[in-house]
Amino acid sequence: MTRKLIFAANWKMNKGPHETEDFIKSFVSNIKGEDLTCEVVIAPPFVSLSKLNDLLHEGNHGIQISAQNCSQFDAGAYTGEISALMLRELHVKHVILGHSERRSIYGESDEVINAKLTKALENNLKPIFCIGETLEEREGGKLEGVLRTQVTDGLKGISDRELAEVVIAYEPVWAIGTGVTATTEQAQEAHAFVRSLIADLYGEDAAAKIRIQYGGSVKPGNSGELMACPDIDGALIGGASLDAQSFFEVIKNGLVD
Ligand code: PEP
């Protein structure tokens, strides 16, 4: 089964509309003339989504837009929140849900993440569903238990048809923004385990089709070896996606067999 690699830039709370414009100008000149055989997604902060849409629309560059979060509710008295429907209006295609920063800083539980996944899918947004263990959990022998709970509870009630729209991002928390990347063995082992969880829940065919990105200090120097792992289908990239040249090199190096 060949799965198309998907590289997604998670800019977190970086780059307002002006910096977004600067980035896109450079990035577009990087990818010009390149036949990138993968999907490329950029997730800027909410305030830059509209600008990004305008910029990409001008040149039809094949880059897809993602949000970094959405509400689990439709509309109403939820100060500071953004609905999935509003994101669709801005031509947003994906939404990152369950990121470890949302889990740890904003206390999002598997139940909340499940409600957000459900709402996103109802509104035709494709979730990039993040899971991953802390160092303490890994060292305490809890890796598989943590991933099982996150996958099972996060995907509760999600149908086979809806699952086809989901990309999973395995992001060991200890590797996010730390400069420490999981070894290819650690990453491959976790990805194969996540795929086996999907097989248990949705069957072998769905498991063979679902894309599982790796995230955690991916950079130009390690994307090639990570993407060569049989169960790694792309990357979710934080720090190294903030610079157009470096994001381009992560993608380019990841596409080399
Ligand atoms: C992330 O925030 O999803 C991430 C993987 O960050 P970084 O690449 O900086 O580790």
Side-chain angles (χ1 to χ4, degrees):
M1 160 76 55
T2 45
R3 295 175 292 266
K4 198 172 196 179
L5 296 186
I6 176 163
F7 293 88
N10 175 15
W11 286 353
K12 314 191 187 197
M13 199 171 70
N14 295 290
K15 298 193 192 297
H18 292 304
E19 282 183 84
T20 296
E21 183 163 10
D22 294 343
F23 178 98
I24 291 299
K25 278 185 185 148
S26 314
F27 187 64
V28 162
S29 74
N30 282 133
I31 62 172
K32 206 168 172 184
E34 296 281 343
D35 183 21
L36 296 180
T37 54
C38 62
E39 287 184 52
V40 178
V41 178
I42 297 180
F46 287 129
V47 293
S48 300
L49 286 169
S50 187
K51 182 72 182 179
L52 183 58
N53 184 43
D54 291 346
L55 291 163
L56 296 180
H57 203 69
E58 280 165 19
N60 192 14
H61 303 292
I63 300 166
Q64 301 163 34
I65 306 176
S66 176
Q68 298 175 15
N69 186 22
C70 74
S71 171
Q72 66 271 47
F73 304 112
D74 284 321
Y78 302 105
T79 302
E81 291 292 285
I82 307 279
S83 74
L85 187 62
M86 292 170 185
L87 295 172
R88 288 294 303 165
E89 218 178 299
L90 290 181
H91 307 282
V92 171
K93 200 164 174 190
H94 303 265
V95 59
I96 299 173
L97 294 172
H99 192 279
S100 71
E101 288 150 18
R102 300 290 323 169
R103 293 177 188 264
S104 66
I105 305 172
Y106 300 99
E108 289 188 12
S109 61
D110 290 321
E111 198 182 5
V112 167
I113 294 158
N114 174 251
K116 291 186 174 199
L117 276 162
T118 306
K119 196 52 69 185
L121 287 161
E122 263 174 39
N123 287 282
N124 296 319
L125 284 175
K126 295 170 185 279
I128 296 177
F129 169 39
C130 304
I131 54 171
E133 82 291 357
T134 63
L135 190 56
E136 203 184 356
E137 288 164 341
R138 176 173 276 267
E139 288 180 346
K142 296 183 181 150
L143 171 66
E144 294 195 351
V146 168
L147 295 181
R148 181 176 287 108
T149 302
Q150 290 177 340
V151 168
T152 310
D153 293 357
L155 294 177
K156 204 174 251 166
I158 303 299
S159 68
D160 294 17
R161 188 183 50 78
E162 289 171 325
L163 185 79
E165 305 301 325
V166 176
V167 170
I168 295 178
Y170 167 65
E171 300 204 297
V173 179
W174 46 273
I176 298 179
T178 57
V180 180
T181 318
T183 63
T184 49
E185 291 75 23
Q186 287 171 322
Q188 168 54 30
E189 194 185 8
H191 279 237
F193 178 68
V194 173
R195 203 175 294 287
S196 77
L197 292 173
I198 296 297
D200 291 345
L201 292 170
Y202 292 92
E204 293 292 342
D205 191 43
K209 284 187 181 142
I210 197 161
R211 291 180 294 178
I212 309 175
Q213 295 176 312
Y214 170 80
S217 298
V218 175
K219 38 191 181 262
N222 60 24
S223 73
E225 59 185 30
L226 285 163
M227 295 312 121
C229 295
D231 286 294
I232 299 185
D233 310 312
L236 182 57
I237 306 126
S241 75
L242 292 173
D243 175 75
Q245 177 70 25
S246 133
F247 183 44
F248 171 68
E249 284 176 17
V250 165
I251 296 169
K252 209 48 193 145
N253 297 349
L255 291 174
V256 175
D257 295 320

